[in-house]
Amino acid sequence: MTKIDTSRPETVLPTPSHTVGPFYGHALPFPGGGDIAPIGHPDTIVLQGYVTDGEGNPLPDAFVELWGTDPDGNLPQVDGSMRRDPASGGFLGRNGVEFTGWGRIQTDAGGHWTARTLRPGARGRNAPYLSVCVFARGLLVHLYTRIYLPGDDAALAADPLLSRLEDERRDTLIAVAEAHGTYRFDIRLQGEGETVFLEFQ
């Protein structure tokens, strides 16, 4: 048994803080995490991009979580995004039919992420957008942002959040159209061109 002498004051050093990564890679990723749209859906769009640090270096162990409405602007009410085998607990994959609006993607070795989903519909006065949560090394708390899709300039101009931002900052929230049905959205954690992040209280 160890005895501690409490009659002598000792110097106590604070415990160092932890970040939200990269220790989470064991249980959080799952196969098909970016396959949000139902299999073969004709309106599937592809979102892709990079997660980079303040120096522009790609992060190979970040997570990007997406949430979005269906094309009619309704929040999906489907339980869960992945199915597990009740006996083994192994991953069976999405059912491929129901749209949950949710996905989780781990960046690859080059910091790249890709998701296949449906274009979200508008809700209220907001232009259509996808909610994003970013987990990455060096972050004490995960970050929230949005992905707006180009194509409806009037809706983007009237959006309550976008209309409060300067053009340069506003552009960090709007994906860039590439090939047909493919959009690029890079997430810069800090530094020049830093993505606009949101704080919820």
Side-chain angles (χ1 to χ4, degrees), residues 83-90 92:
R83 297 173 303 135
R84 293 196 177 275
D85 183 319
S88 70
L92 293 175

Side-chain angles (χ1 to χ4, degrees), residues 49-51 58-63 105-114:
Y50 292 86
V51 178
L59 296 179
D61 49 16
F63 274 97
I105 309 101
Q106 183 172 12
T107 56
D108 64 18
H112 187 261
W113 64 275
T114 302

Side-chain angles (χ1 to χ4, degrees), residues 15-16 18 20 42 44 67 78 81 83 97 100 106 109-110 127 139 143 147-148 166 181 184 193 196-197:
T15 302
H18 290 141
V20 297
T44 297
W67 298 275
V78 179
S81 285
R83 297 173 303 135
V97 176
T100 64
Q106 183 172 12
L139 296 179
L143 301 173
I147 301 174
Y148 290 90
E166 298 174 5
R184 179 166 176 168
V196 170
F197 296 105

Side-chain angles (χ1 to χ4, degrees), residues 36-155:
I36 305 166
I39 295 171
H41 196 289
D43 298 325
T44 297
I45 62 170
V46 176
L47 292 167
Q48 62 179 342
Y50 292 86
V51 178
T52 58
D53 64 17
E55 296 178 350
N57 299 317
L59 296 179
D61 49 16
F63 274 97
V64 176
E65 285 190 357
L66 302 175
W67 298 275
T69 63
D70 66 20
D72 295 323
N74 299 313
L75 294 172
Q77 300 296 314
V78 179
D79 291 336
S81 285
M82 55 183 170
R83 297 173 303 135
R84 293 196 177 275
D85 183 319
S88 70
F91 180 71
L92 293 175
R94 297 178 188 266
N95 67 16
V97 176
E98 297 174 293
F99 177 70
T100 64
W102 181 83
R104 178 186 294 143
I105 309 101
Q106 183 172 12
T107 56
D108 64 18
H112 187 261
W113 64 275
T114 302
R116 285 162 292 287
T117 188
L118 300 179
R119 190 178 184 104
R123 288 179 58 81
R125 296 176 22 221
N126 296 304
Y129 68 86
L130 292 156
S131 295
V132 182
C133 184
V134 181
F135 301 80
R137 65 171 84 177
L139 296 179
L140 297 178
V141 179
H142 45 274
L143 301 173
Y144 296 99
T145 190
R146 290 180 177 178
I147 301 174
Y148 290 90
L149 298 175
D152 188 340
D153 293 341

Side-chain angles (χ1 to χ4, degrees), residues 16-34:
S17 60
H18 290 141
T19 68
V20 297
F23 55 82
Y24 45 68
H26 169 68
L28 291 181
F30 62 94

